[in-house]
Structure formats: C-alpha cells, structure tokens
Amino acid sequence: MTILCVRFQPPMYEAALPGLLGLLEEFTPVVEALPPDGALADLRGAERYFGRSAVELASVIRVRALALHGVDCVIGAGPGPMLARMALCDARPGVTRAVPEEPDAIAEFLAGRPVAALPGVGPATARTLCEYGLDTLGRVAGAPLSTLQRLIGAKAGRELREKANGVDRGRVVPNTISRSLAAERPFDLDELDPGRHRRALLSAAGEIGARLRAVEKVCRTLTLTVRYADRTSTTRSRTLAEPTAHSAALTRAAYGMYEALGLQRARVRALALRAEGLTSADQAAHQLTFDPVDEKVRRIEEVADRARAKFGPRAVMPGTLAA
C-alpha cells in the first residue's frame, strides 16, 4: 500500500487544514488536499526512506495529529487513490483499513460493493446500471465491455470496467487546496435557530466574496457543509448560473442550499461555505442586466471593499450582522 486517504476527526474547520497538511508533508511532498477535512498522501518514497510500510506510517501520523493538533484520523490505504478512498469508507478511528496489493485481494474487496460506491459513479449512472442488474462491482467487472459501452458510452464504459477490476490509474496531485476558498462559522453552543444559521451564511458568503474580489477571482461552484451536534455532517454543492464573486449571488446560492435541506430543529455545530472552480475575473463572462437594483448593489459593494481595505473588515457590514 502506497497511498493514504486521511480524514481528520472530529469534524474540523477548513482553516485548520493547512497545518494538518504540513504534518503529512513531513513524510512526503506529494500531498493532495481534499477540503474541508481530508487529504491524499503518496508514500512510495516515504516507505523506502523510513523503512516502514504505509500502514505503520499511518499510525505515526495519527499519533502526531492527536499530539500536535488534538484531532484523530480515519485512514484508508491502498495501492492507488481510488482504492484508498474506498478503504476509508470502512475505516474507523484508531484502525487503518488497508487494501492489499494482490489482484485477488483487490477483486475480493470490490466484488460485493454497490456500484455507487465507486468514485466517479453518479446517481444517474448507478441507476442505469442497476436497471440492467449490474448493481455490484463484481457484476460490472464480469460484464462484457460492449454491454457497458452501450449503456453509458464508450469511454465511460471502458473506465468503469477498469475500475471495477481494480485498475487504478489515478495519481495524487499536490497543492490543490489553492483551487478553493473557504469560510467557516462555528457556534459557541449547538444552534437550533434558523435565523442564526442564515446570519452565519450571510457572514460567510460576504467573507468569501470579499476574498475573491481581493485576488480578482470568481468561482463556479459553491459548497455548503452543515456539521451537527452528533459529529455527522451534510454537504451540498451548487453550480452557479455564472462564475461570480458577487456577495449577493453567493448568499442567494447559500440560502437556497440551506433551505433545500429542510432542517427542522437541527442542532447545528458549524456551517461552512467553500468556493470552488476558481478562475480569473477578467476571463469570466457576465450577463448584463437592466435591473438598476443589482447595479446599485454592485457599486455599493465596490465602495464597501475600499472602505474595508482602509479601515478594517468590520468597517462596512450588513445591518443584521452589526450586533
């Protein structure tokens, strides 16, 4: 096993992730961030350098994370990123779930798993495969390639069959954390009030918008993570109508995802927003509008950015956040 997939627990806030990535980088420079609370690490060189297996190094990483950062790790290990991610689903704190490198062991690990458990297989693809009885990875692995290609397409069918047979062509790509911006809003006590939830989202969306505009970037996707008192979490993503750094647009998207969850008396411990798919603002298209209110809000936003840059981040803020 040369690849580790690490998830830090209890659920943490993304602001702490860079420090934990630094811990992994003490063992290998090939570390890929998986915001908000995970990472992939390629330990091929580390195994030879330290003279220990990836599972043994995982134990050292877990101890250091507890000692230095006060968080535990759930770790999956495998010969490739895909298998390490799937092993993570079976892992628990204190025990590393490892997939052996032998082909027979990989086939046994995959055979009984539902097809939806395979990274990259979405609900629509899984539904199509299940309608034809291909509901497990073992059945997909044994199906003729031509059948899979007729069902989901030539390239997708070939890739699916390879993955179902344990062929993992993925690689760990370091330093991807810079492709996103995040803002977290933890509560001092588990919060049930939807009004406070919305104010937290308003604050987080405003922060992300200001940070995007400061670096002249726009985002294509916004992700909402809701963390609950029992340490579980719910994550939803929404592709925006157009790439934007406009705080009002980000706030509307965040409210829409929150309301779609239909939370009723949920004890929320923290809310986090993450802007993904960042691109340069001068390369993004903007749909012109004849709405004078939208143009006025954007002009006010520009003035507020200048005021905050000169007098501090709290110089200008929405009235609902002033308290």
Side-chain angles (χ1 to χ4, degrees):
M1 287 74 65
T2 58
I3 306 297
L4 295 185
C5 186
V6 183
R7 179 174 296 151
F8 300 103
Q9 292 189 334
M12 41 160 279
Y13 309 118
E14 191 166 336
L17 186 57
L20 292 160
L21 294 179
L23 185 153
L24 294 175
E25 288 168 353
E26 294 177 7
F27 296 86
T28 172
V30 189
V31 177
E32 178 179 351
L34 301 176
D37 57 4
L40 286 169
D42 188 336
L43 297 182
R44 277 177 290 192
E47 287 178 309
R48 293 192 295 270
Y49 182 82
F50 291 102
R52 297 186 180 185
S53 69
V55 173
E56 291 173 328
L57 291 174
S59 299
V60 178
I61 290 169
R62 180 179 293 110
V63 171
R64 290 194 178 185
L66 279 169
L68 299 176
H69 300 275
V71 298
D72 200 354
C73 302
V74 178
I75 303 177
M82 178 193 76
L83 294 168
R85 286 172 182 257
M86 297 182 71
L88 179 70
C89 298
D90 294 342
R92 63 182 188 275
V95 178
T96 300
R97 177 66 167 97
V99 181
E101 296 184 10
E102 294 75 18
D104 291 343
I106 293 175
E108 182 181 353
F109 172 77
L110 294 173
R113 295 178 179 273
V115 68
L118 195 67
V121 176
T125 301
R127 186 164 53 249
T128 298
L129 294 169
C130 289
E131 288 174 354
Y132 288 86
L134 302 174
D135 55 345
T136 66
L137 294 178
R139 292 177 177 175
V140 170
L145 176 59
S146 58
T147 299
L148 297 175
Q149 290 179 324
R150 281 199 305 271
L151 292 177
I152 63 174
K155 181 180 178 181
R158 182 174 62 255
E159 292 178 350
L160 175 64
R161 193 169 189 271
E162 285 185 348
K163 291 179 179 180
N165 280 284
V167 178
D168 190 350
R169 301 187 186 278
R171 62 189 183 93
V172 179
V173 181
N175 300 328
T176 59
I177 193 169
S178 61
R179 297 180 185 175
S180 65
L181 285 178
E184 301 86 13
R185 292 297 181 268
F187 297 106
D188 294 333
L189 300 174
D190 297 333
E191 186 57 67
L192 287 80
D193 184 2
R196 291 182 180 271
H197 297 166
R198 291 174 65 87
R199 285 196 290 274
L201 291 175
L202 174 62
S203 172
E207 177 188 330
I208 287 178
R211 290 168 62 189
L212 286 171
R213 294 190 296 274
V215 295
E216 298 182 348
K217 298 285 187 179
V218 293
C219 71
R220 296 180 180 276
T221 305
L222 192 67
T223 298
L224 167 66
T225 300
V226 183
R227 306 191 189 281
Y228 305 105
D230 61 359
R231 296 185 176 181
T232 62
S233 62
T234 301
T235 300
R236 293 290 184 271
S237 293
R238 177 168 294 183
T239 300
L240 304 174
E242 64 180 24
T244 187
H246 186 28
S247 294
L250 297 173
T251 302
R252 287 194 297 270
Y255 283 171
M257 288 186 287
Y258 172 80
E259 292 166 0
L261 292 176
L263 302 180
Q264 296 182 359
R265 302 290 294 173
R267 296 171 59 200
V268 175
R269 181 159 296 176
L271 293 163
L273 287 178
R274 187 170 70 254
E276 301 174 303
L278 306 190
T279 57
S280 177
D282 59 8
Q283 297 179 359
H286 170 55
Q287 178 64 49
L288 296 178
T289 176
F290 293 104
D291 182 4
V293 174
D294 182 71
E295 292 301 320
K296 181 178 179 181
V297 170
R298 290 178 184 270
R299 288 198 299 270
I300 292 174
E301 192 172 68
E302 294 176 4
V303 174
D305 286 342
R306 291 197 294 269
R308 283 190 287 261
K310 185 174 182 179
F311 299 107
R314 295 182 61 85
V316 180
M317 65 178 64
T320 54
L321 301 178

